[in-house]
Each structure stands twice: as structure tokens, then as C-alpha cells.
Amino acid sequence: MVNVVIADDQTLVRAGFRSILDGEEDISVVAEAADGEEAVGLAVSERPDVVLMDIRMPGVDGLEATRRIAADPRLADVRVVILTTFDLDEYVYSALRAGASGFLVKDTEPMELIHAVRVAARGDSLLAPAVTRRLIAEFVDRIKEPPPAPRLNSLTEREREVLAGVAAGLSNEELAERLVVSIATAKTHVSRVLTKLGARDRAQLVVIAYESGAVRPGWLS
């Protein structure tokens, strides 16, 4: 069972998402929050698999709530998915840097919402990779040159290939096919890259890849 907390200051939005998710046998909405402070408290008390987090809320907003959840070692297994009205939103990029696992626009189709929650709970793929890569590229491309990234020096050549693959939105199965290895080996490589770079999940690997210049959307496109 995938347990979900919905955090949004609009009652109708929460009710709509709840009705969609609770209709699935493998998903349960365990709590709702009207602001970021409440969302963090519920993440601690409920330990959900996924928090659907509105980025703009009164008081503690979704960005700060995401930072607090990502920084709490007790909540290492809690995945935050940002809810936003616009897919090109600078706050969303900040949320990905802060530890969010991905994002969804609020008018997403019900089946996309359900799929996104399941994917986030598994932690094995970035949500809406094409849109998320475009979002990251939009803001990272403003940097004329990527800053030095000494932490990438710890990666082997194969691990750098894995990082580039994750940044391209490849699943473990697609990584395995590209690298000509088993899926289990691909998963092991991803786990090692996560550990070496201190990333919370694959979404942070995408941010690191762009910001470090390992993937260069603008200056080498």
C-alpha cells in the first residue's frame, strides 16, 4: 500500500486528489495538510511514502516544507512531489534542488497522477522526465559556465555514464540496455552514484548533472 499525504491550501484541490487516489486499491491518502508546517508534521507522524506538496501555501510554503522533510534523516524514505500551476516555475527548480523527487502540474490527468504517485513511491524514476529536464535546463542555462564540481571526481567512468543516463530520464531497464548490463547491475550503479554524490534520489542526480556540467543543455547543445 502506498500511503500519501496531500498538502494544499485549497480544500477542493485536496478533495479532488483524494477522490482520485483513494479509488485505487494500492493507494491510501492517510492525511491532508493546509500549509507547509502541517505537512512537515504529518510527514513525521505518518511517515507516508509520498507527500503531494503544493508549492505556494500561506505561512510555511511548499519549498520550505520540502527542505525540512529532505533534511530530516527520519524522513529519508518520504518522497515529495511538488504540485504547481505552471510547469516552468522557478520555485519548482528550487524545490528539486531542495530534495523534491519531481513535480506535477495541477491539471494533470487522473491516470498520470496515479502513475506519478506509484513511481515516486518506488523511487526508481524521475517524474515527468522530459518536462523536468526542460525546467532544469531553462534555469541552469542562465549560467554561462558550470562551476567546478569536485564531487564528480569520485565517480568512475561507468558511473559518469550512469549519471548522464539518469539525467536523460532513462529508467533502470533503459540504462541496462544502454550499458549492456543486467537491470540489477544498473540499479547497483545508480545506488553507488546516489551514495557518492550524497543525492536523495534520482531527481537530485538530474540537478547535479546539469549544474556540474556533466550534462550541458545550453552551452554545449
Side-chain angles (χ1 to χ4, degrees):
M1 181 66 69
V2 177
N3 292 324
V4 179
V5 166
I6 301 172
D8 194 293
D9 61 327
Q10 297 183 50
T11 303
L12 285 177
V13 171
R14 298 199 307 271
F17 283 171
R18 175 185 277 274
S19 67
I20 292 169
L21 296 174
D22 274 345
E24 300 300 305
E25 293 183 355
D26 62 330
I27 300 176
S28 175
V29 176
V30 295
E32 298 179 18
D35 57 50
E37 188 79 45
E38 189 177 4
V40 175
L42 287 172
V44 173
S45 63
E46 299 293 337
R47 304 295 172 89
D49 300 291
V50 178
V51 177
L52 292 176
M53 183 84 74
D54 183 20
I55 202 161
R56 290 181 172 84
M57 293 184 286
V60 175
D61 64 14
L63 180 58
E64 176 59 26
T66 299
R67 287 197 186 103
R68 294 184 188 181
I69 290 173
D72 191 330
R74 297 172 298 173
L75 306 179
D77 294 328
V78 177
R79 299 288 175 251
V80 176
V81 177
I82 293 297
L83 300 171
T84 181
T85 305
F86 308 104
D87 60 8
L88 280 180
D89 185 330
E90 191 161 5
Y91 287 105
V92 175
Y93 175 59
S94 298
L96 290 172
R97 293 193 69 195
S101 296
F103 75 98
L104 290 170
V105 290
K106 288 187 177 182
D107 62 354
T108 190
E109 294 295 325
M111 289 310 298
E112 291 178 4
L113 171 66
I114 293 165
H115 175 69
V117 166
R118 289 173 177 151
V119 169
R122 292 199 305 265
D124 65 353
S125 181
L126 180 68
L127 300 181
V131 179
T132 302
R133 289 198 308 274
R134 179 164 60 87
L135 171 83
I136 293 172
E138 170 75 16
F139 296 107
V140 176
D141 192 36
R142 298 176 185 178
I143 305 171
K144 292 183 179 179
E145 288 294 336
R151 56 183 169 173
L152 292 188
N153 295 335
S154 65
L155 300 183
T156 65
E157 190 61 35
R158 174 47 61 92
E159 288 166 348
R160 286 174 180 267
E161 291 181 62
V162 169
L163 177 62
V166 171
L170 298 185
S171 65
N172 287 330
E173 290 78 7
E174 290 166 333
L175 272 176
E177 183 176 351
R178 173 181 286 190
L179 302 176
V180 195
V181 298
S182 69
I183 295 174
T185 298
K187 288 181 179 179
T188 298
H189 283 314
V190 172
S191 295
R192 287 175 178 166
V193 174
L194 285 166
T195 299
K196 285 187 176 182
L197 298 183
R200 180 177 172 85
D201 59 21
R202 296 169 78 105
Q204 280 67 64
L205 289 184
V206 175
V207 174
I208 291 170
Y210 277 109
E211 290 191 331
S212 68
V215 174
R216 303 185 182 190
W219 42 82
L220 286 182
S221 59

